[in-house]
Amino acid sequence: MTNWENIVSGKELITAKNKRKNLYIEARERKVALEELEEEGWEYVKDYADPKFIKVRKEKPFFERFEDQIWLLFFQMGFKHLNRDANFKMNYDFNNPDFTQQIDVFAADDETVLIVECKSSEELNEVQFKKDIEKFHGQMEGLRKCALKQYPGRKVKFIWATHNCIMSAKDIKRLQEWDIIFFSDSTIQYYSELVKHLGTCSRYQLLGNLLANTEIKNMQNKVLAIKGKMGGHEYYEFSIEPEKLLKIGYVLHRSEANKNMMPTYQRIIKRKRLKEVQSFINDGGYFPNSIIISIDSGGRKLQFDESPTKLDDSISKIGVLHLPKRYHSAYIIDGQHRLYGYSDSEYANSNSIPIVAFVDLERSEQLKLFMDINENQKSVSKTLRITLNSDMLWDSPNQNERRDAIRSKIAQMCGEEQSSPLLGRVVIGEDEKNNIKCITIQAIQLALQKCSFFSTFAKNNIIATNGSFDLGDNQATIDRFYPFLEGCFKAVKNECETEWALGEQGILTINRGIQGIIRIINDIVNLLIAQNKLFPLTQDIDEMINEVEYYLSPLLNHINKLTEEQRIELKSFYGGGAENKYLRYFQKVIHDSLTEFSPEGLEEYIENATKEYNATSKEYISAIEEKLKDVIAEALQEYYGDKWLIKGLPKTTYKEAEKAASDKNYELLSNDEESDIEPWDCISLSDCKDIVVYSHNWSEIFESIITRPEDQKLSTKEQKTEWISTISKEKNRLSKSTYSVPKSSFELISNIYAWLVGTE
């Protein structure tokens, strides 16, 4: 049997609310049992007046906290009848009174009954609920009859609420087919935020969604109206009590939760602004300007009883308009604060507000009207504008604009899809940015725009370039490309979990990092297509992801092993060129391991763009060479006297230098030029090393003057003179036009220059 006594209202509801808000289970226990209780997870709170007893508590289990969260959400929305605790059971088979099902959350108001099944996990997991959903579905009809027997005339809705559960596409489809409303984490967050802003009138938003297009019984739906024409559209102008419009009206703002609800352009209703409007209204204030709405006729022409009173020279008509008696039938295009300012107000029924109502406006027209109205008011954010493009440009006659819509939609999906690794990390619509949600939708859209996934078109919609994933139809292209992109993101996340979790503190899940990953994927796709290893329009998506992973591996391994210096270097990339610097950095990492990966422009970048240390290195090496030769020559002269050149140099080195000097002098004389080249002038850096370690030169002359301070602890002369070899090699490398001095080499060159040359 159903234990209806567990459903509470009034004062009992407040008592239940206080217990639900408490994060702890509290109990009165005997003091002597405290040690045993503590072993079971309880903690002491306080003594009672009776010294034999104490108050103890322990944290509620995670699943109970989640159920309380959902319960409190409906309480805050203004549902007046809720289950006291988790012990509420409903009979689902009238023929068998003992057939009952425990109900996690039961909520009822004057029009609706909600029956909620809660599923939660302590950590984010992919979970299969096939059997649980099938069981729930099998009991729904019985539960519905049971609820209607107690609460006749209500509409019964079933909700499947989850926390930290990544639902499979098949499970979500089952819920949709069986009319079970899915509340994901983002849906719950959306309504929780809405409650903060709207209070109990957020229930209208909820009911508008749950009961869309169902009849509102006992609603007086007739209004006196003027019918006119404007902008090629028929419209009606009338006055209505705010409470009536609140029931049939609906306001949305773009968030992760409502991506399938349209229209998606409304700014969020701000609590501060709403409070100001409510205070203004309650003090007798009013707004004479009209609220703009679009009425959804449901495919039936609105009934307008035209009055016989008319003016012959006027196109306007007066009469009685019959509004739809349905939830979710009037979209509030503009004026949501003015409307919701009347919620919980004494004037909600005693005032009337002016309305301009269009009928069945196309989505693009609603968006255009919204943009036009707000053009000279508070600016519409760039993030919101990009969100709008997926709606406004979806059916554009311009094929390039349709591709803009595809890119905008995919960027939204990256932040909205339950299975996306970027869920909760993309700033969408009116979302607030934070350390984790720090990727902008425009960053993803811009990266996609620079890729060749989608076709481009010249004049007259003639294809200029074929997109690798473009099937010619918006939805078909998205259905093909998005799972591939999501799978690639999953591969990156799985290999670089620590870095992925860092958000703004890291180098990966930020604008520049995600843009770089998207464009690297594009580079890999293009290479594999050229190698006939990838066929994006027909190949199995998992197979394609495996092919891409091979080329991503060197980059992901590199990211996992980033040194602090490399991390600082990447994080220092700012400004307009930061995105390209990230991309080139990523490309070079892969190229260094897999040389066949060489996207257009990479070699030129390696050759030119990274040569920032070359010029200074050449200058320093030239000064080091000159100074080193001076030091060696002076030391040899002081030790060997006038014959220092013969005695101080190895025989082979001297002969090669003498021959080189002779050859140069001959060439100069042949050209009638002065010839004063000496053998010492032809001594190279590598020769310098041979000289200082020759015979007893090292021990007698050079060990004390050629050894760098930081090399004093090294044991051999080869080790102590290695720096000369390094400078010689860098000089030779710099003679090649393709070489770029690494930062580490430049730092060594700079240190040697400072030690040997100093300020000279």
Side-chain angles (χ1 to χ4, degrees), residues 367-384:
L367 293 169
K368 183 178 183 301
L369 186 55
F370 169 78
M371 299 290 277
D372 290 344
I373 291 170
N374 288 281
E375 182 178 4
N376 296 313
Q377 298 177 24
K378 179 184 174 183
S379 62
V380 179
S381 69
K382 184 183 293 185
T383 297
L384 189 53

Side-chain angles (χ1 to χ4, degrees), residues 376-653:
N376 296 313
Q377 298 177 24
K378 179 184 174 183
S379 62
V380 179
S381 69
K382 184 183 293 185
T383 297
L384 189 53
R385 285 180 182 274
I386 290 176
T387 305
L388 305 186
N389 278 340
S390 65
D391 300 329
M392 295 183 72
L393 305 179
W394 188 261
D395 296 316
S396 171
N398 183 307
Q399 290 294 337
N400 281 324
E401 289 187 348
R402 288 195 182 197
R403 270 57 191 182
D404 283 339
I406 289 175
R407 286 186 282 268
S408 294
K409 184 63 176 176
I410 288 168
Q412 292 172 31
M413 293 175 72
C414 286
E416 293 175 340
E417 291 297 307
Q418 287 295 303
S419 53
S420 172
L422 290 177
L423 178 67
R425 291 174 171 269
V426 181
V427 180
I428 296 174
E430 298 293 337
D431 288 347
E432 296 291 332
K433 186 179 179 182
N434 55 46
N435 288 336
I436 297 300
K437 184 180 286 188
C438 57
I439 301 167
T440 63
I441 196 169
Q442 56 263 43
I444 298 175
Q445 193 232 27
L446 182 61
L448 292 171
Q449 192 174 353
K450 294 180 178 179
C451 296
S452 55
F453 297 125
F454 313 116
S455 300
T456 61
F457 295 81
K459 291 182 179 179
N460 301 321
N461 285 333
I462 297 172
I463 292 180
T465 59
N466 283 303
S468 53
F469 279 82
D470 203 314
L471 290 166
D473 174 81
N474 288 18
Q475 195 58 53
T477 300
I478 288 174
D479 291 344
R480 184 72 184 159
F481 175 72
Y482 177 75
F484 166 77
L485 180 64
E486 184 182 275
C488 292
F489 280 156
K490 284 182 178 178
V492 175
K493 178 186 177 183
N494 291 340
E495 288 298 316
C496 304
E497 281 201 69
T498 301
E499 189 67 42
W500 191 272
L502 292 177
E504 203 166 44
Q505 305 306 314
I507 58 96
L508 196 52
T509 46
I510 57 176
N511 282 340
R512 302 183 296 282
I514 289 299
Q515 286 178 316
I517 293 295
I518 290 171
R519 294 179 67 184
I520 280 289
I521 292 169
N522 180 63
D523 291 334
I524 296 170
V525 166
N526 291 339
L527 173 64
L528 291 170
I529 290 174
Q531 295 175 338
N532 290 319
K533 293 181 179 178
L534 206 73
F535 306 93
L537 300 182
T538 57
Q539 192 173 356
D540 178 77
I541 289 173
D542 288 337
E543 289 180 7
M544 291 194 290
I545 293 169
N546 288 336
E547 292 284 353
V548 171
E549 279 189 81
Y550 172 75
Y551 283 92
L552 280 175
S553 292
L555 175 60
L556 305 185
N557 290 334
H558 179 82
I559 289 173
N560 284 332
K561 298 176 182 177
L562 276 176
T563 64
E564 189 59 31
E565 184 181 10
Q566 290 168 329
R567 183 179 295 278
I568 291 171
E569 182 182 359
L570 278 166
K571 293 287 282 184
S572 69
F573 291 161
Y574 287 107
E579 178 196 348
N580 282 330
K581 287 181 179 179
Y582 256 74
L583 175 65
R584 293 304 187 189
Y585 185 97
F586 287 177
Q587 287 175 335
K588 188 176 183 301
V589 169
I590 299 175
H591 174 75
D592 289 344
S593 295
L594 303 167
T595 54
E596 71 270 23
F597 177 80
S598 186
E600 182 180 355
L602 179 60
E603 289 187 11
E604 183 180 356
Y605 172 80
I606 294 172
E607 179 181 347
N608 298 315
T610 62
K611 292 181 180 178
E612 61 180 298
Y613 305 118
N614 284 25
T616 307
S617 294
K618 285 181 180 179
E619 179 186 336
Y620 283 5
I621 288 173
S622 178
I624 290 169
E625 183 176 19
E626 182 180 349
K627 179 66 176 180
L628 179 62
K629 289 178 69 174
D630 287 345
V631 168
I632 293 173
E634 289 175 8
L636 290 175
Q637 287 178 34
E638 184 177 348
Y639 188 84
Y640 292 111
D642 293 338
K643 296 183 179 180
W644 67 272
L645 202 58
I646 301 293
K647 293 183 177 181
L649 274 62
K651 186 176 182 180
T652 303
T653 303

